């Protein structure tokens, strides 16, 4: 596999392209949840114009009236080509993929295939909060296997969670977040192979949420697809272009099955494939096929913003503990030294007019923390840290 996720790009930094006035014209959740005097650095939307190939694909569809139902394997073929070039993964089998409405609804469908009502689903908190919500609404039981102090998977804790989950002979699944949200951790090939070995030993089925796979920003860091590691043949994974190209509003994702899970994926009801947007499929396909130069420009900008945030925190909020992640455009901040209570995001919103994601919904290890969205301009990040520092003076 390749050792470097991003490549030099001649494109201008998309994170510097839009003004605040332009962004405030948007009607999506990020920009309409809070009043106009609040800087929104919370939900995972990027402050960027869309990649030109995506705009062309959607515009052409509108001009043609091409707004029917999705069909075919172009999306999967584009992902397979991207995976081969980007990650050196040449074994993505198009015939073992299926289009699903989005990654989290795809997670739900995969969990339905390998677990039943009341069965346990293991997660690694602090972790993306909808894992709790979707699993609970599915009538499954969340079992926590917290990350270690280094914010990596603790294999001993995970094994104990697996052992407890299958006691009595029941079914269990492990919902793996890779790369990890909110910490930005990129799991190594060795870590994932160890996970696969444990899953096989205990009969736990792995469902990997790999939505942030294209967003690896640290030089030298490398995303490893779970299905590419030895022992992961019975695994299932979900991918899309949503996070890499800011396409959350154009719904479409892909479910992927290892060779040993092909029969499981084949049992997914046909109507699930009716949920994705045809225009979304076209957009995601164009992003993966033709949008890599734009992606590389964004990744460079995110890496610069992560370094900027590190400097700004050291200067203005030295009490905040920040371990820069290798992936995602999110920063996980430990604010406990500031003595702001369990929900520092609430303090910064009320006193500083900066909207951040509370760490509490991310599960064990989230109290006293917050998540900050780096996918904006350096000027917005600078102003946000200035406001945060003023809020605790």
């Amino acid at each position: 596999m390749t050792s470097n996720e991003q490549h030099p790009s001649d494109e201008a930094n998309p994170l510097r392209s839009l003004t605040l006035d332009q962004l405030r014209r948007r009607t999506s959740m990020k920009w309409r949840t809070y009043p106009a005097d609040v800087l929104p650095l919370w939900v995972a939307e990027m402050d960027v114009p869309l990649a030109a190939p995506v705009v062309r694909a959607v515009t052409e569809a509108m001009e043609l009236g091409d707004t029917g139902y999705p069909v075919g394997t172009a999306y999967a073929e584009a992902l397979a080509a991207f995976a081969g070039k980007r990650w050196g993964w040449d074994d993505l089998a198009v015939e073992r993929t299926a289009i699903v409405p989005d990654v989290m609804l795809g997670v739900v469908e995969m969990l339905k295939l390998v677990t039943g009502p009341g069965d346990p689903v293991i997660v690694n908190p602090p972790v993306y909060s909808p894992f709790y919500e979707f699993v609970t609404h599915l009538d499954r039981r969340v079992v926590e296997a917290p990350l270690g102090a280094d914010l990596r998977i603790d294999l001993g804790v995970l094994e104990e969670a697996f052992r407890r989950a299958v006691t009595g002979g029941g079914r269990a699944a492990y919902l793996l977040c890779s790369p990890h949200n909110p910490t930005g951790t990129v799991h190594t090939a060795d870590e994932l192979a160890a996970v696969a070995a444990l899953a096989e030993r205990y009969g736990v089925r792995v469902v990997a949420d790999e939505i942030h796979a294209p967003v690896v920003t640290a030089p030298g860091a490398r995303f490893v697809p779970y299905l590419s590691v030895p022992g992961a043949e019975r695994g299932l994974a979900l991918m899309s272009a949503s996070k890499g190209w800011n396409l959350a509003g154009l719904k479409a994702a892909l479910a992927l099955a290892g060779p040993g899970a092909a029969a499981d994926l084949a049992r997914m009801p046909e109507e699930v494939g009716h949920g994705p947007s045809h225009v979304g499929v076209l957009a995601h396909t164009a992003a993966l096929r033709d949008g890599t130069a734009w992606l590389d420009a964004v990744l460079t900008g995110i890496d610069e913003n992560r370094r900027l945030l590190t400097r700004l925190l050291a200067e203005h909020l030295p009490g905040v503990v920040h371990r820069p992640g290798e992936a995602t455009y999110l920063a996980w901040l430990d604010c406990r030294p500031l003595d702001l209570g369990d929900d520092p995001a609430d303090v910064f919103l009320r006193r500083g007019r900066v909207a951040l994601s509370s760490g509490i919904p991310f599960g064990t290890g989230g109290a006293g923390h917050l998540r900050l969205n780096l996918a904006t301009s350096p000027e917005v990040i600078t102003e946000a840290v200035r406001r945060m520092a003023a809020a605790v003076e």
Side-chain angles (χ1 to χ4, degrees), residues 27 71 139 254:
T27 59
V71 69
D139 195 23
L254 286 165

Side-chain angles (χ1 to χ4, degrees), residues 56-338:
R56 284 197 298 271
V58 173
T59 300
E60 289 173 5
M62 296 301 102
E63 291 173 344
L64 288 171
D66 188 9
T67 54
Y69 299 103
V71 69
T73 59
Y75 188 178
E77 291 165 10
L79 177 59
F82 180 86
K85 293 175 184 176
R86 201 73 171 188
W87 309 315
W89 184 31
D90 297 320
D91 297 326
L92 194 163
V94 170
E95 65 273 16
R96 292 198 305 272
T97 66
I99 299 175
V100 292
D102 61 26
V103 164
M104 280 311 302
L105 291 178
V107 163
V108 167
E109 294 300 329
M110 297 305 100
L111 290 175
K112 286 180 181 177
L113 295 175
V114 297
T115 64
D119 285 339
V121 176
I122 297 99
V123 302
N124 299 126
V127 71
Y128 183 52
S129 58
F131 277 17
Y132 292 89
E133 299 158 9
F134 280 75
V135 169
T136 301
H137 292 163
L138 185 59
D139 195 23
R140 271 54 168 178
R141 177 168 50 89
V142 174
V143 174
E144 293 190 329
L147 298 177
D150 57 357
L151 302 182
R152 306 198 73 85
I153 295 172
D154 185 321
L155 293 170
V157 170
L158 186 66
E159 180 172 12
E160 176 60 18
F162 282 7
R163 186 192 64 76
R164 287 187 286 109
V166 299
T167 297
R171 294 189 295 176
Y174 172 40
L175 183 49
L176 170 68
C177 192
S178 179
H180 197 86
N181 173 6
T183 64
T185 303
V186 176
H187 309 305
T188 67
D190 288 344
E191 287 172 327
L192 293 174
V195 165
L198 287 175
E200 284 302 297
R201 183 183 309 164
Y202 289 94
V204 174
R205 300 300 297 276
V206 178
V207 177
D209 172 354
E210 297 179 329
I211 196 170
H212 288 278
V215 193
V216 174
T217 58
R222 176 168 61 90
F223 169 73
V224 179
Y226 177 71
L227 296 183
S228 73
V229 303
E233 291 79 11
R234 294 204 308 144
L236 295 158
L238 287 303
M239 288 188 175
S240 85
S242 175
K243 290 295 179 275
W245 286 268
N246 202 41
L247 302 178
L250 290 167
K251 295 286 190 178
L254 286 165
L256 293 72
D264 294 307
L265 186 62
R267 290 188 290 106
M268 188 176 74
E270 179 187 355
E271 60 266 22
V272 174
H274 298 170
S277 159
H278 175 52
V279 177
V281 170
L282 296 175
H284 287 243
T285 302
L288 290 162
R289 187 180 57 214
D290 301 317
T292 53
W294 182 94
L295 174 66
D296 287 328
V298 168
L299 296 183
T300 297
I302 292 168
D303 186 47
E304 291 171 354
N305 283 355
R306 186 171 277 116
R307 295 170 190 270
L308 171 64
L309 178 65
T310 300
R311 293 195 302 271
L312 291 171
L313 291 175
E315 180 179 354
H316 300 289
L317 285 167
V320 173
V321 179
H322 173 220
R323 296 181 182 180
E326 298 173 310
T328 79
Y329 48 82
L330 307 164
W332 184 239
L333 307 184
D334 181 354
C335 300
R336 288 174 295 177
L338 300 180

Side-chain angles (χ1 to χ4, degrees), residues 356-382:
L356 304 153
S357 296
S358 169
I360 295 172
F362 291 82
T364 296
H369 293 69
L370 58 81
R371 194 189 71 176
L372 182 149
N373 184 340
L374 291 162
T376 187
S377 69
E379 292 76 17
V380 168
I381 291 175
T382 301

